[in-house]
Amino acid sequence: MSNSLHVALGENSYDIIIEKGILKKVSEEIKKVYKGEKIFIITDDIVSKFYLDKVSEELKSGGYLVDSIILPNGESTKSLSSLEVIYNALIDFKMTRKDLIITLGGGVIGDLGGFVASTFLRGLDFIQIPTTLLSQVDSSVGGKVAIDLAKGKNLVGSFHQPKLVLIDPNVLATLDDRTVNDGFMEVIKYGCIFDKEFFELLYSMHSREDILEHIEHIIYKSCDLKRRVVEEDEKDTGERMKLNFGHTLAHGIEAYYNYEKYTHGEAVAIGMYEITALSEKKGLTKKGTSDKIRDILVNFGMDYDINAVHNENILSHISTDKKNEGSVLNVILLDEIGSCYIYKTNLEFFKDE
């Protein structure tokens, strides 16, 4: 069964297609949006072992000229130094502005490859094929592309919408439990901020098996919720900020631990719980909301409270967050499960009253 969503952004519009086994007919789908003949695949050394040959051969059988680059897995690949390596590989393949890039991997590859596509020859088209739950429900949709600097994540980037997003839930079978849970934390975020009924479904889940049993609905619902926000606020100046619930603290946690102790989703989990517990204390969120978040995190063995809201070193990273407007810090708070708002404050917010 195929589920598709249309992201309506005028001339930057595109479809998200969610279908088990869609990797076996990538050429068929790409021909609908791309009339050229040359395709360059950007992937990493873990994903390549499972899917690079399959996707490459399928594209070649569809008549495409195909080349690829395999990068080290991990956040450190999303760097300035990776750019030159990829740009040189594109030059060697004689890529032109009429050619196509495919990002085959998780969020790091999607962000990095998308940034390459947005900048090489002043921009060429790309297609996202996300291979982790996190990238399928979040980073592959919406056109945010970026690289990291030593001083913070995603500080150099742009908005460059893909021509197409192809999501094959079958690829999740090759992920370990931690990586599945990592993506599931972003799914929980959607329920927290936008959809109480969706949250209640997620609240009833306790295992990887529960997640995979409902996986197509989970991916579709998450992408649909994000699609609506992106259509309303493509450039992240208003409503789209709500997608960063838990992320202000999470980025500080990730940086403080040098991206080693916690995955992105694990850091978001802590951020969602701690910011909600704090906002409850301040009377800004309905009492008991943080307990609901804590319960679902406990179900999946997640850390939820490391006292990040009182850790000066973690908070120091927040001052460079992209969502800041001068001295104003935009924090996403919940009214209650399923409803959120943007709260304009500053770092004093994190100090005890």
Side-chain angles (χ1 to χ4, degrees):
M1 185 181 76
S2 175
N3 286 310
S4 65
L5 291 161
H6 184 68
V7 184
L9 294 170
E11 63 181 20
N12 294 324
S13 299
Y14 55 95
D15 290 331
I16 305 164
I17 302 174
I18 305 158
E19 181 180 340
K20 289 183 175 180
I22 201 169
L23 287 191
K24 295 175 182 175
K25 55 176 191 175
V26 168
S27 293
E28 180 184 326
E29 296 298 338
I30 288 178
K31 284 183 188 299
K32 297 173 185 176
V33 299
Y34 173 58
K35 304 307 177 187
E37 63 176 19
K38 196 174 281 191
I39 297 177
F40 190 90
I41 303 171
I42 300 174
T43 190
D44 69 38
D45 55 6
I46 293 180
V47 175
S48 62
K49 294 172 186 173
F50 293 104
Y51 304 114
L52 179 57
D53 287 348
K54 293 176 183 176
V55 173
S56 295
E57 290 308 313
E58 212 283 316
L59 290 171
K60 288 174 184 175
S61 70
Y64 293 110
L65 297 173
V66 181
D67 198 2
S68 60
I69 189 169
I70 300 171
L71 302 164
N73 177 266
E75 188 72 32
S76 60
T77 288
K78 217 169 97 176
S79 65
L80 282 167
S81 58
S82 294
L83 290 178
E84 188 170 10
V85 174
I86 301 170
Y87 291 148
N88 283 331
L90 294 174
I91 293 167
D92 291 343
F93 192 43
K94 296 182 170 54
M95 290 282 280
T96 72
R97 292 183 71 180
K98 293 181 179 179
D99 298 325
L100 179 74
I101 287 175
I102 288 178
T103 58
L104 176 66
V108 167
I109 292 299
D111 284 2
L112 172 64
F115 184 74
V116 167
S118 76
T119 51
F120 186 70
L121 302 178
R122 294 196 175 93
L124 41 83
D125 290 340
F126 83 114
I127 287 173
Q128 291 262 25
I129 304 181
T131 59
T132 63
L133 181 56
L134 181 61
S135 58
Q136 290 181 349
V137 301
D138 186 52
S139 58
S140 66
V141 179
K144 278 188 182 180
V145 296
I147 58 167
D148 302 337
L149 299 179
K151 293 187 181 295
K153 285 185 67 170
N154 302 326
L155 291 177
V156 177
S158 61
F159 290 90
H160 190 60
Q161 301 292 344
K163 294 295 288 184
L164 181 67
V165 180
L166 298 176
I167 297 176
D168 188 341
N170 285 346
V171 304
L172 302 180
T174 56
L175 302 180
D176 60 31
D177 288 353
R178 186 182 186 188
T179 308
V180 172
N181 290 348
D182 177 52
F184 191 61
M185 295 304 110
E186 286 280 357
V187 174
I188 292 167
K189 176 197 76 177
Y190 289 115
C192 285
I193 59 178
F194 291 140
D195 194 317
K196 185 175 182 179
E197 185 179 337
F198 186 42
F199 180 89
E200 293 300 335
L201 170 65
L202 305 174
Y203 191 82
S204 71
M205 298 181 185
H206 293 78
S207 67
R208 174 197 182 102
E209 289 69 34
D210 289 343
I211 295 171
L212 294 182
E213 182 183 342
H214 296 88
I215 194 61
E216 286 169 287
H217 175 67
I218 285 171
I219 295 171
Y220 182 90
K221 187 70 174 178
S222 299
C223 288
D224 190 35
L225 290 169
K226 183 164 187 179
R227 171 195 66 80
R228 296 179 201 176
V229 178
V230 169
E231 287 178 350
E232 184 176 341
D233 177 24
E234 182 182 359
K235 296 297 175 69
D236 202 13
T237 56
E239 284 296 293
R240 189 168 175 174
M241 288 187 190
K242 291 179 178 178
L243 296 172
N244 285 280
F245 173 56
H247 284 60
T248 300
L249 270 180
H251 289 158
I253 292 166
E254 288 178 283
Y256 176 65
Y257 289 105
N258 201 30
Y259 305 99
E260 291 173 352
K261 183 169 183 178
Y262 295 108
T263 66
H264 177 68
E266 289 165 352
V268 168
I270 296 166
M272 290 190 295
Y273 172 77
E274 288 203 23
I275 201 78
T276 304
L278 182 62
S279 63
E280 275 185 43
K281 285 181 184 176
K282 294 176 178 288
L284 299 168
T285 298
K286 182 181 177 181
K287 290 288 185 187
T289 304
S290 63
D291 291 344
K292 296 280 282 185
I293 297 173
R294 180 198 62 211
D295 290 348
I296 200 168
L297 302 184
V298 169
N299 283 349
F300 287 88
M302 291 284 171
D303 284 353
Y304 58 88
D305 191 353
I306 61 170
N307 206 27
V309 293
H310 296 128
N311 185 318
E312 291 294 333
N313 291 315
I314 289 175
L315 296 181
S316 69
H317 290 285
I318 292 175
S319 61
T320 62
D321 192 280
K322 303 181 300 307
K323 301 298 174 294
N324 296 347
E325 298 169 347
S327 60
V328 176
L329 179 65
N330 290 305
V331 180
I332 312 307
L333 304 180
L334 300 183
D335 295 297
E336 58 183 330
I337 295 295
S339 175
C340 69
Y341 60 101
I342 301 167
Y343 185 71
K344 293 184 180 295
T345 183
N346 53 45
L347 284 176
E348 294 296 313
F349 175 79
F350 295 98
K351 295 185 178 175
D352 287 325
E353 296 178 326

